[in-house]
Amino acid sequence: MEHITLLLGIVIVTALVFDFTNGFHDTANAMATTISTGALKPKTAVAMSAVLNLVGAFLSVEVAKTISGGLINEEGIRTEVIFAALVGAILWNLLTWLLGLPSSSSHALFGGLIGAAVMSAGWSSVNGSTVITKVLLPAVAAPVVAGLAAMLATRLTYRISRQAGEKATSKGYRAGQITSAGLVSLAHGTNDAQKTMGIITLALVTGGVLAPGSNPPLWVIVSAGIAIALGTYLGGWRIIRTMGKGLTDLAPPQGFAAQTSAATVILASSHLGFSLSTTQSCSGAVMGSGLGRKGGVVRWSTATRMFVAWGLTLPAAGLVGAGAEFLTKQGTWGIILTGALLIAGSAVIWTLSRRQPVTVDNVNDDHEPAGVVTTAIAAVTPPPAGPVAPADDLKTTIPGPDAEPARPATV
């Protein structure tokens, strides 16, 4: 086996940077509803999520094997292709984070990888059947399945607890939310950390360090787990606010139903090796829980922007990855220029984000008024039925002769 070269080392570091952005980009998946309902304080929530992301990274390698040995053909792929793919994925992650849109870090990575591979070796370098069965179909099915499950779970939850008082159930639902949020964090570490493991393993294969078809080495698993945990602890407050407050207003029963449904879908897909988007699963579950509550509404203006970002992720990251690969093919100066453009683009996005910063202090502020559809639905939704006053209280009081006459109100 060959030693790790300078270029391969740069690719590994860039992959861990992507893993870091994946962590703070997707923190909202696990903790947005827990933070928005007040079940956990923001800092406590992201710390808990970071630890469980790290633990989840050690639970499986099925998704990593799908990426390292299934998505593209390893033969003929150069190490520079991996670097170009990561450039496209990182820039798309940062751009959607700036806009507060919960797009898919997974699809950004897949798009960058496909675009760079096609630019390097043509369409034959991509395994189309794997892309369809383990990327595109789960992308469509995951939010729908998670949304329907969350909607049904929300309705069932309210039906079961309708005889109990709100005070009696709120504490239990908050505890359930914390548990289900931990499960989502564990699932996220299991699914998303493996994607970086797969990329690093693929880079090691292309560099001749590992044999084709190898599992990720232990040091790759550990480093990927630590990188995604650190990013998670940093907290992507912009996307947390969108997920927690921008899509719908959540009560603790809805948060519990949404997170439990999303975690079930993510863990099942990880076991099967489906590299789905945890962001899409959790977003679908949040919208489903909003629709599952009587009188609940979804802010479709925010949801529409999110859907557009989902649709653009693969092609946009693919185009950037292809452009980066075009530069890296030119030689050393092209690789240096690509790295410089990545650093410059990241710096510009960070500078723009400081104009209207979202922090732990304002993450639960409402940042967007309700749209026309949401306002209309809320206007025609009947108020919840209150207790009926006893017949003895339905009396008409006739003022006596000595009563002081009513005075006109002063404006």
Side-chain angles (χ1 to χ4, degrees), residues 90-91 94-95 338-352:
I90 291 172
L91 289 177
L94 292 176
L95 179 60
T338 302
L341 290 175
L342 172 61
I343 295 173
S346 302
V348 169
I349 293 173
W350 173 258
T351 302
L352 292 175

Side-chain angles (χ1 to χ4, degrees), residues 236-334:
W237 303 114
R238 291 174 176 271
I239 300 177
I240 288 176
R241 186 168 69 174
T242 299
M243 287 275 282
K245 292 289 186 180
L247 283 175
T248 186
D249 295 320
L250 293 176
Q254 294 170 279
F256 171 69
Q259 289 171 320
T260 303
S261 302
T264 302
V265 171
I266 296 168
L267 286 173
S269 67
S270 298
H271 178 71
L272 297 173
F274 291 145
S275 189
L276 56 70
S277 166
T278 56
T279 300
Q280 292 180 359
S281 300
C282 293
S283 300
V286 168
M287 287 188 286
S289 64
L291 296 173
R293 186 187 70 181
K294 185 176 181 180
V297 293
V298 172
R299 294 184 177 91
W300 292 110
S301 56
T302 302
T304 300
R305 292 200 304 273
M306 185 178 68
F307 294 151
V308 171
W310 288 0
L312 290 176
T313 297
L314 270 171
L319 287 174
V320 177
E325 170 57 16
F326 176 78
L327 288 177
T328 62
K329 289 173 67 175
Q330 310 308 313
T332 303
W333 70 267

Side-chain angles (χ1 to χ4, degrees), residues 164-191:
E166 182 177 350
K167 291 184 178 179
T169 58
S170 60
K171 184 179 294 186
Y173 280 127
R174 289 180 188 274
Q177 259 198 287
I178 295 172
T179 303
S180 59
L183 191 59
V184 173
S185 297
L186 194 69
H188 181 259
T190 304
N191 196 283

Side-chain angles (χ1 to χ4, degrees), residues 344-367:
S346 302
V348 169
I349 293 173
W350 173 258
T351 302
L352 292 175
S353 73
R354 296 302 89 195
R355 294 183 178 181
Q356 292 183 328
V358 180
T359 66
V360 65
D361 298 317
N362 63 359
V363 67
N364 276 335
D365 294 347
D366 291 325
H367 68 295

Side-chain angles (χ1 to χ4, degrees), residues 7 76-85 115-122 321-338:
L7 176 60
I77 294 298
R78 301 174 301 117
T79 307
E80 291 87 338
V81 174
I82 314 299
F83 179 58
V118 170
M119 175 59 70
S120 175
E325 170 57 16
F326 176 78
L327 288 177
T328 62
K329 289 173 67 175
Q330 310 308 313
T332 303
W333 70 267
I335 297 174
I336 296 174
L337 179 59
T338 302

